[in-house]
Amino acid sequence: MRSPGRVAPATESETSRAADPYWAWKQAGLALLAVVWIALGLTGHDPWKFDDATSFGVAWEMAQRHDYVVPHLAGEVYLRNPPLVPALAAATEQLLSPPLAPYDAARIAAGFALALILVFTALAGGELTGTRFRWTPVLILIGSVGLWDRAHVLSGELGVMVGLAMALYGFALALRRPVASGAWLGLGTAVAFLSQGFTGPVWLAISALILVALAPQFRRLAYGATVVVAVVVAVALAAPWLVALYLRDPSLLAEWLVSEGVAQKIALDVSLADPLYHARNLLWFAWPALPLIAWMFWTRGRGFNGGIAQPSVQIPAVLALVIYVNLLLVPEPRLIQALPLLVPCALLASLEVDSLPRSFSAALDWFGILTFGLLAIVVWGIWVDARLNGMSPAIATIFRDTEVGYQPTFHLGSVVAAIILTLLWIALVRPARRSNRRALLNWAAGVTLAWCLYSTIWLPYLDSRRSYRPMIDELASYLPTQGCVASRNLGDPQRALLYYFAGLETVREETHANADDECASLLVQYGTVSGAPPALAGYRIAWDGGRRGDATERYVLYVKDQAS
């Protein structure tokens, strides 16, 4: 087993290059894997609910209004999160559209965020455990089941992940370069704040205090300098938005501060919390990090490799624990809230990969090869069958699709890309010298292959299921040419896309007490409705419908009866 101490980065890197004549090729291959994983799925489909559509709606209005201080959604002020993520999306939209569609160009910002997450996770891993291990947490992140399609959408959580990755790199530098450490820690804190408010900075502040109490290495004057620099940098970068919001309208700042109250982050009413939600979902959400973390604590807990009283363990473990405790107490939990947890988990999981028994790593390796190999065969087989014969009733039932006979479109570029990446995966996992890190590489490559098939040959089908465009185009032909349209129970993603695709800015009952009196039409969003849509007194039904193949949402446009 390796020594608990770090090797000087330059010496270690030079040793690795000298020992392996293919070092440069391997680095290039790993970089290519990361680029492919990031790039796939960013373009080629309409905005999907929830966070992708909402964030794009905010970004679209930022670009239209040229206002990066006060976010808007469907014509209304929308202060759920600070503006960093939609502002970046608005910038890439203005830069890259055309040639890309506005929503595709905006989503490039998500790819930029993913690249930063991987880079700073690698830097943190290299600083904590040595440069030879910097790719290990990156492979774990790429292979994380929880990141799947949630990583490639615009969301505040993605911005927080960037901030935490930067902050972890800052923490890792604290024992060696306190000023640079404070700068990165402060930058990460500011990014997390400007992405999703006080949650990320509070996690980092609590973690910084726990580290002081936990480890003597952090009870030094140099660490105090790190904290001071971090606070100065974070305040300098975060305060301008708060000041600009206040100068625009003090009530806007007050409204946003109310939305950042403790009750919004922690369920003070226990009936609103579900502590078991993230506990039970984390078993698969954090795969393959979770079993590797368990092995790391089992190994280090028995005193091997310096035990757990090492900064490489303490820094990510403390942050992961703080985030996890908060997740157990959040009101109305959602899976995407756990995304930031994956960054410190990847660092923890990478620590004892090399000491993992060969039987365990071989099991993971063959499990991944068989799983993704069979998955690729099934996915290709279903696609070919649907392309030739239309989707069968049995497959439609598995996909919970209410429409049978769907035939995927043929796009030469997508099919060629899918074939090439499938063949590359087969070449990669061919029998070769097996190792623990090779098992992680094969797993990450398998996840990338699955994501490739999802975002190439099957993307048109998925877009037909998840896009609101056809439904909104149909609805638009029934909208009144004059007067306003009231709305009831209309979600933020639906409001954003109605505004983008149809230019419809509804008068919401939730914010306008007299919406029904002012408007002659009413658009209502229902859940699952079987049979005829509900009737409303004084209204007639002008239109009802929903997304193709989706029975969980139904929309009804009511028009006031002239007689009433």
Side-chain angles (χ1 to χ4, degrees):
M1 293 186 179
R2 67 178 184 272
S3 168
R6 287 188 66 252
V7 181
T11 303
E12 190 175 42
S13 178
E14 292 169 2
T15 302
S16 299
R17 297 184 190 187
D20 187 355
Y22 300 102
W23 183 88
W25 287 102
K26 290 180 179 180
Q27 299 298 302
L30 291 170
L32 178 62
L33 175 67
V35 169
V36 170
W37 177 74
I38 289 171
L40 289 171
L42 290 177
T43 60
H45 64 85
D46 289 336
W48 295 342
K49 74 169 189 180
F50 292 90
D51 299 86
D52 192 47
T54 304
S55 297
F56 168 68
V58 176
W60 166 256
E61 291 205 50
M62 278 186 175
Q64 299 301 306
R65 295 170 179 268
H66 302 288
D67 183 356
Y68 295 87
V69 175
V70 183
H72 287 76
L73 183 74
E76 297 182 9
V77 172
Y78 190 78
L79 287 171
R80 179 163 296 184
N81 289 323
L84 179 60
V85 172
L88 290 175
T92 57
E93 176 195 327
Q94 291 178 306
L95 182 65
L96 300 174
S97 175
L100 296 179
Y103 42 83
D104 285 340
R107 213 177 286 117
I108 296 299
F112 178 64
L114 284 177
L116 289 178
I117 291 167
L118 297 186
V119 167
F120 280 97
T121 300
L123 290 173
E127 185 65 30
L128 290 172
T129 58
T131 55
R132 290 188 300 116
F133 303 95
R134 63 187 174 190
W135 274 105
T136 308
V138 171
L139 292 176
I140 293 171
L141 275 180
I142 292 174
S144 294
V145 177
L147 277 177
W148 190 236
D149 62 337
R150 298 172 190 85
H152 292 76
V153 302
L154 295 165
S155 69
E157 286 79 7
L158 201 62
V160 174
M161 288 183 74
V162 175
L164 293 189
M166 290 178 173
L168 282 166
Y169 178 53
F171 277 127
L173 279 174
L175 304 179
R176 194 166 64 88
R177 299 172 58 193
V179 175
S181 166
W184 285 116
L185 180 56
L187 177 60
T189 303
V191 169
F193 171 79
L194 292 171
S195 297
Q196 210 172 40
F198 287 111
T199 302
V202 169
W203 290 342
L204 293 171
I206 294 174
S207 299
L209 293 175
I210 293 176
L211 286 172
V212 171
L214 188 66
Q217 300 98 316
F218 294 96
R219 292 194 290 270
R220 298 174 181 173
L221 186 61
Y223 184 64
T226 293
V227 173
V228 170
V229 172
V231 171
V232 171
V233 171
V235 171
L237 295 175
W241 177 68
L242 296 174
V243 173
L245 191 62
Y246 177 82
L247 293 176
R248 182 70 62 84
D249 188 342
S251 66
L252 292 176
L253 178 60
E255 177 186 343
W256 178 76
L257 290 174
V258 169
S259 71
E260 287 290 302
V262 176
Q264 310 300 322
K265 309 299 180 182
I266 298 176
L268 302 178
D269 183 352
V270 293
S271 63
L272 298 176
D274 183 2
L276 296 179
Y277 179 85
H278 286 292
R280 62 175 177 265
N281 282 299
L282 200 63
L283 295 174
W284 63 265
F285 192 89
W287 180 275
L290 209 58
L292 294 174
I293 292 172
W295 169 254
M296 184 275 297
F297 277 114
W298 169 257
T299 304
R300 294 290 182 100
R302 293 181 296 158
F304 291 99
N305 292 332
I308 61 175
Q310 299 290 322
S312 58
V313 178
Q314 294 167 332
I315 291 172
V318 166
L319 180 57
L321 182 61
V322 170
I323 296 173
Y324 181 65
V325 170
N326 189 183
L327 290 177
L328 296 179
L329 302 175
V330 294
E332 302 179 2
R334 299 169 55 207
L335 279 174
I336 198 171
Q337 295 166 339
L339 282 185
L341 182 61
L342 295 178
V343 178
C345 282
L347 291 171
L348 284 173
S350 68
L351 294 178
E352 290 297 331
V353 168
D354 284 353
S355 68
L356 195 68
R358 286 292 298 121
S359 58
F360 291 178
S361 65
L364 173 64
D365 196 8
W366 285 109
F367 173 71
I369 292 173
L370 291 174
T371 298
F372 295 113
L374 290 174
L375 179 63
I377 293 172
V378 170
V379 169
W380 270 110
I382 295 175
W383 183 84
V384 171
D385 180 66
R387 174 66 188 165
L388 297 176
N389 307 312
M391 184 173 291
S392 67
I395 299 300
T397 300
I398 294 174
F399 289 172
R400 298 180 182 179
D401 194 337
T402 58
E403 295 187 21
V404 178
Y406 175 86
Q407 286 188 294
T409 58
F410 182 89
H411 187 278
L412 181 61
S414 296
V415 174
V416 169
I419 292 174
I420 290 175
L421 289 174
T422 302
L423 294 175
L424 286 176
W425 177 81
I426 294 173
L428 178 65
V429 301
R430 73 192 189 284
R433 184 178 66 85
R434 299 295 176 188
S435 69
N436 294 357
R437 295 192 212 177
R438 180 61 182 251
L440 283 180
L441 173 60
N442 287 346
W443 178 269
V447 169
T448 304
L449 170 64
W451 179 243
C452 161
L453 299 179
Y454 176 97
S455 56
T456 53
I457 58 175
W458 278 104
L459 188 60
Y461 171 73
L462 294 165
D463 197 36
S464 73
R465 290 285 307 276
R466 303 183 68 175
S467 174
Y468 284 87
R469 184 198 298 264
M471 184 200 81
I472 293 174
D473 288 345
E474 181 183 345
L475 167 64
S477 64
Y478 291 87
L479 293 173
T481 56
Q482 294 182 339
C484 59
V485 177
S487 66
R488 179 183 301 169
N489 300 329
L490 200 58
D492 290 339
Q494 292 80 7
R495 291 172 53 220
L497 297 179
L498 280 167
Y499 187 77
Y500 175 70
F501 286 126
L504 176 60
E505 181 181 327
T506 64
V507 181
R508 295 193 295 145
E509 289 183 345
E510 294 82 1
T511 57
H512 295 77
N514 300 320
D516 292 346
D517 297 331
E518 297 174 2
C519 302
S521 302
L522 173 65
L523 179 62
V524 181
Q525 178 178 339
Y526 293 103
T528 302
V529 177
S530 58
L536 291 182
Y539 288 89
R540 62 178 177 84
I541 296 175
W543 172 88
D544 77 283
R547 290 187 297 174
R548 192 199 78 80
D550 183 2
T552 63
E553 295 177 1
R554 192 160 182 180
Y555 301 85
V556 182
L557 178 65
Y558 297 92
V559 177
K560 283 184 179 178
D561 205 340
Q562 295 285 345
S564 63

